Amino acid sequence: MAFQSGSPFRSGVLVAAGVLCLTGCSHKDPVDTTLGWMQHMRGGVIASQRPPPPGIYDPYPHVGLTPTTTPDMPSPQARALITQQMIRDRNLMYRTVAANGTLMPEIPPPPGAAAAPKPAATPQAGNGSGTTASQPATLPEGTAGAIMDAADAPPPQPATPTAAADKLSKPVLPSTSAPSTGGLFGADKKKDAGKGETEVAMPEIGMPDVKTTAQTPQTPASAIPQIPSGPPAPPSFPGFNIPSDAYLPDAVRPNYDLSDAKGTAIHCVPQSDQISSGQDDTFAKLVTKTPHGPFYVRGFGSAASLDAQAQADAVQLGLLRAQNIAKKLIDLKVPASAIHIRGDAFGMGARIATTP
């Protein structure tokens, strides 16, 4: 059988051969090639390759040379102060847990571990009547089937109020047919007629009328309770003594100095007495302006509580900060006798002023 040069079969074979040649040149199977075409038609990130991770071409860092700067560490006195605070917090936690009790609830035993029911008592052998000591209660014959039928039956539908209202409002017309002298059908008609008369004779149900003519009497002024000028006296009971501080006023809080401290602000590392780096120009300007002082250094301890011990620790931290600032000024050739230090509980960092 010979094929013509322009036949459709020959053209299809050439197209298929070309597709296979292109697939073989790209070193991909037909599945990968089809997937690549689909991703290329979709476009976007799915059609592009994943970028390389950042820093892949950077040289390896020299671990032995890092870090190049010395970190700011608090002095041994400040570290000891922080340690004492942590010890007190730990002991307070122990005492709080002991006072509040354990947080683990009491878990009851599982149902399987409960006590098994006791078996029924056996009949007594020497009883002349032939009855047992205790017999389990049993149901009469046929009762179980009735109980199961009642359980399987659907619940009764309650009567709706609309049906009862329709029954009361529907008029019953008297029968126009001739009365029957006897028989079953005549008796039924008499019953229906009597039932209709009974329904018509029932009274209509309705709500009583609301009357707005009632008047509320005005409350006299003597019946209104008066607001006392002061708090009531504490109660007294026989056999109980009233505390001696029952009538004492509340304790007067200290009058804290809430004004902003004057002077040049110096930043310190939080919870440390070390001076933050980058403030050399500030110290140089102060010493250049007044090389021989005097300088009044005021350190603050950043107290966050009104507790006496917390304020004492804050004052001690403020003194440590003021001492480090004084050492910095002495290194800049400032006489030690011209430096005055002070510690305060509330505040941030420190202040340097030339006047008290």
Side-chain angles (χ1 to χ4, degrees):
M1 181 177 181
F3 298 99
Q4 297 180 2
S5 59
S7 61
F9 180 78
R10 187 174 181 179
S11 301
V13 170
L14 292 176
V15 172
V19 171
L20 293 176
C21 292
L22 292 175
T23 305
C25 294
S26 61
H27 301 285
K28 292 183 179 181
D29 56 1
V31 177
D32 295 338
T33 304
T34 307
L35 182 61
W37 288 348
M38 182 176 62
Q39 292 180 355
H40 182 71
M41 286 187 296
R42 288 183 178 179
V45 180
I46 194 174
S48 60
Q49 296 183 356
R50 184 177 61 183
I56 188 174
Y57 302 110
D58 295 345
Y60 288 98
H62 299 281
V63 182
L65 299 180
T66 56
T68 58
T69 58
T70 304
D72 296 332
M73 297 294 295
S75 62
Q77 295 83 358
R79 292 198 299 268
L81 178 61
I82 296 175
T83 303
Q84 293 297 328
Q85 293 176 357
M86 296 176 66
I87 292 174
R88 284 194 298 269
D89 294 342
R90 181 194 61 188
N91 296 336
L92 177 61
M93 181 193 65
Y94 289 158
R95 287 170 173 80
T96 304
V97 171
N100 295 336
T102 178
L103 299 178
M104 296 299 296
E106 296 182 1
I107 302 176
K118 297 181 180 180
T122 55
Q124 298 179 359
N127 194 352
S129 61
T131 58
T132 59
S134 60
Q135 296 181 356
T138 59
L139 296 175
E141 183 178 357
T143 309
I147 294 175
M148 296 299 296
D149 295 341
D152 296 337
Q157 297 294 336
T160 58
T162 56
D166 295 341
K167 183 181 292 185
L168 293 176
S169 60
K170 182 178 180 181
V172 178
L173 300 177
S175 178
T176 58
S177 60
S180 177
T181 56
L184 180 61
F185 298 97
D188 293 341
K189 291 181 180 180
K190 290 181 179 180
K191 292 180 180 179
D192 294 341
K195 184 178 179 180
E197 293 175 359
T198 305
E199 291 179 355
V200 172
M202 292 181 64
E204 184 179 358
I205 300 175
M207 297 295 295
D209 297 337
V210 179
K211 298 181 180 180
T212 59
T213 58
Q215 297 181 359
T216 304
Q218 297 182 358
T219 304
S222 59
I224 300 177
Q226 301 296 328
I227 300 176
S229 59
S236 60
F237 301 95
F240 294 90
N241 297 327
I242 299 177
S244 59
D245 57 348
Y247 300 99
L248 296 179
D250 295 338
V252 179
R253 294 185 178 274
N255 187 14
Y256 296 111
D257 184 11
L258 302 180
S259 61
D260 192 10
K262 59 182 180 180
T264 304
I266 302 297
H267 187 270
C268 297
V269 179
Q271 301 299 327
S272 176
D273 59 344
Q274 294 298 317
I275 305 172
S276 301
S277 58
Q279 304 182 90
D280 295 338
D281 295 341
T282 303
F283 284 96
K285 291 180 181 179
L286 290 173
V287 175
T288 302
K289 187 176 181 180
T290 53
H292 301 288
F295 291 103
Y296 296 89
V297 183
R298 187 176 179 181
F300 305 98
S302 307
S305 174
L306 296 179
D307 183 64
Q309 185 62 45
Q311 294 186 40
D313 295 340
V315 171
Q316 187 176 356
L317 179 60
L319 288 174
L320 293 175
R321 290 175 173 177
Q323 290 177 2
N324 285 343
I325 293 176
K327 294 178 182 179
K328 184 77 172 179
L329 295 175
I330 292 174
D331 294 340
L332 296 176
K333 308 303 181 182
V334 176
S337 59
I339 301 175
H340 308 271
I341 63 175
R342 172 184 171 181
D344 289 273
F346 299 94
M348 301 294 294
R351 292 274 182 171
I352 303 178
T354 56
T355 57

